[in-house]
Amino acid sequence: MTVTTQTRTEVGAAWNRPRRFRTQPLVIVAYLLLGAGIVIMMFPILWMVLSAFKDAREIFGFNFWPKTWTLENFREVLFDTDFPRWFLNSLIVAVATTTSVLFFCSLVGYTLTRLRFPGRNIVFVLILSTLMIPTEMLVIPWFVMSSEFGWINTYWGIAFPGLIPAFGVFLMRQFFETLPRDLFDAARVDGMNEFGLFWYIGLPLVRPALAALGIFAFIGNWNAFLWPLIISKSAEMRTVPVGVALFSGEAGTAWNLIMATNAMAIIPVLIVFFIFQKQIIEGVVLTGTKG
């Protein structure tokens, strides 16, 4: 019996040895390809950040690292342009829309899964159908409505298209659909009202979806360009993407200042990514598997 077991062990080791040898080159190739992809993706960002620390004469050189590090570009952008106001505008809009998305999209998703009412599926189909409409086709109705209600050049006018996106409703509805109904029925028998069921039972159970949706909503609204460009009429109401784009045209060949504005514009996105990168990855995986 011992000989048989030892023989099997040796055979298994001999079988695994060539398999490891065969897979090792594939692992090396995979790491090389990933490393090359990282270099290709990160090189423009690193070039932009390092160029923000160069002076106006060195910016046109081909050296990668600055010979003389300077913070004058950042000082000029912060104190001689409206960048701080653009940054504040984007922060207000992104935080407000993200808060609205998390609350209302989850509330609508809960309503579509836990409440029984006539036409519930029709409502859900109508919400999904809005995803098929390109944003460019909605710009004119949005602008006409904003003009009628006096929302042009206001925070509300910039923010309202992203307050309750259809994708957020779809995502939260799919997650609420996976929750056990017995848990809600038991709490309902104990006397808890529907909003209590949503707030105290439903939301804690869909926390991964909320984290992913909040991150996507913040980054999406922070990077929004087309609608803020149309609705903001004054320099004081520009958001960061709009302000940086227009500043790039106004600055002309002052690439050191342009690089400094772009470097500061990506700071919130980088902070959100590095803090919540685990939730971002989980959200991408979950949005592809839930449903």
Side-chain angles (χ1 to χ4, degrees):
M1 186 68 179
T2 305
V3 175
T4 304
T5 304
Q6 183 178 0
T7 304
R8 290 179 179 176
T9 303
E10 293 175 355
V11 171
W15 174 257
N16 290 329
R17 195 175 302 117
R19 291 183 64 187
R20 261 198 313 269
F21 179 78
R22 288 198 300 269
T23 57
Q24 191 67 23
L26 297 179
V27 174
I28 295 175
V29 172
Y31 276 106
L32 290 176
L33 292 176
L34 289 174
I38 292 174
V39 171
I40 294 173
M41 294 178 62
M42 292 300 299
F43 182 79
I45 299 177
L46 291 176
W47 183 277
M48 176 189 67
V49 173
L50 293 175
S51 298
F53 293 95
K54 300 177 182 178
D55 56 26
R57 294 172 297 177
E58 190 181 354
I59 194 71
F60 293 101
F62 292 97
N63 53 307
F64 186 71
W65 293 97
K67 295 180 180 178
T68 303
W69 295 75
T70 178
L71 296 175
E72 181 63 24
N73 301 326
F74 296 96
R75 188 207 65 78
E76 187 171 348
V77 170
L78 290 175
F79 295 100
D80 296 340
T81 68
D82 292 327
F83 183 85
R85 179 59 186 267
W86 305 338
F87 193 94
L88 178 63
N89 293 341
S90 289
L91 192 62
I92 292 174
V93 172
V95 172
T97 51
T98 302
T99 304
S100 174
V101 166
L102 292 178
F103 178 76
F104 288 106
C105 288
S106 58
L107 185 62
V108 175
Y110 174 85
T111 303
L112 292 175
T113 56
R114 291 294 176 260
L115 299 183
R116 302 291 184 180
F117 57 90
R120 184 184 62 169
N121 293 330
I122 296 177
V123 172
F124 181 60
V125 171
L126 291 176
I127 293 175
L128 288 182
S129 64
T130 61
L131 293 173
M132 306 177 188
I133 305 175
T135 303
E136 292 76 10
M137 294 183 62
L138 299 173
V139 166
I140 295 178
W142 286 347
F143 187 83
V144 172
M145 184 174 66
S146 300
S147 178
E148 292 293 332
F149 289 102
W151 295 345
I152 296 179
N153 208 40
T154 63
Y155 288 119
W156 178 258
I158 299 174
F160 84 88
L163 293 178
I164 313 178
F167 173 76
V169 174
F170 168 74
L171 178 64
M172 298 310 301
R173 189 258 186 190
Q174 297 303 101
F175 270 84
F176 276 114
E177 190 69 32
T178 62
L179 301 182
R181 295 185 178 274
D182 296 340
L183 183 62
F184 293 88
D185 294 336
R188 192 176 289 110
V189 171
D190 290 337
M192 183 174 290
N193 57 27
E194 288 298 333
F195 188 81
L197 294 173
F198 160 73
W199 189 261
Y200 294 107
I201 297 180
L203 287 185
L205 294 176
V206 295
R207 192 174 300 170
L210 286 174
L213 180 60
I215 293 168
F216 295 150
F218 181 88
I219 295 177
N221 285 281
W222 180 270
N223 294 330
F225 176 76
L226 179 61
W227 177 245
L229 173 65
I230 296 174
I231 200 66
S232 57
K233 298 300 182 181
S234 62
E236 291 76 15
M237 289 305 299
R238 293 174 183 171
T239 57
V240 168
V242 176
V244 169
L246 297 180
F247 176 76
S248 299
E250 297 169 359
T253 58
W255 290 103
N256 54 323
L257 301 181
I258 295 174
M259 294 299 177
T261 56
N262 283 278
M264 289 188 290
I266 65 174
I267 289 177
V269 177
L270 292 179
I271 292 176
V272 170
F273 176 77
F274 284 116
I275 294 178
F276 302 104
Q277 57 181 322
K278 181 179 178 181
Q279 286 80 1
I280 293 176
I281 296 173
E282 289 181 354
V284 173
V285 174
L286 291 173
T287 52
T289 57
K290 293 287 183 180

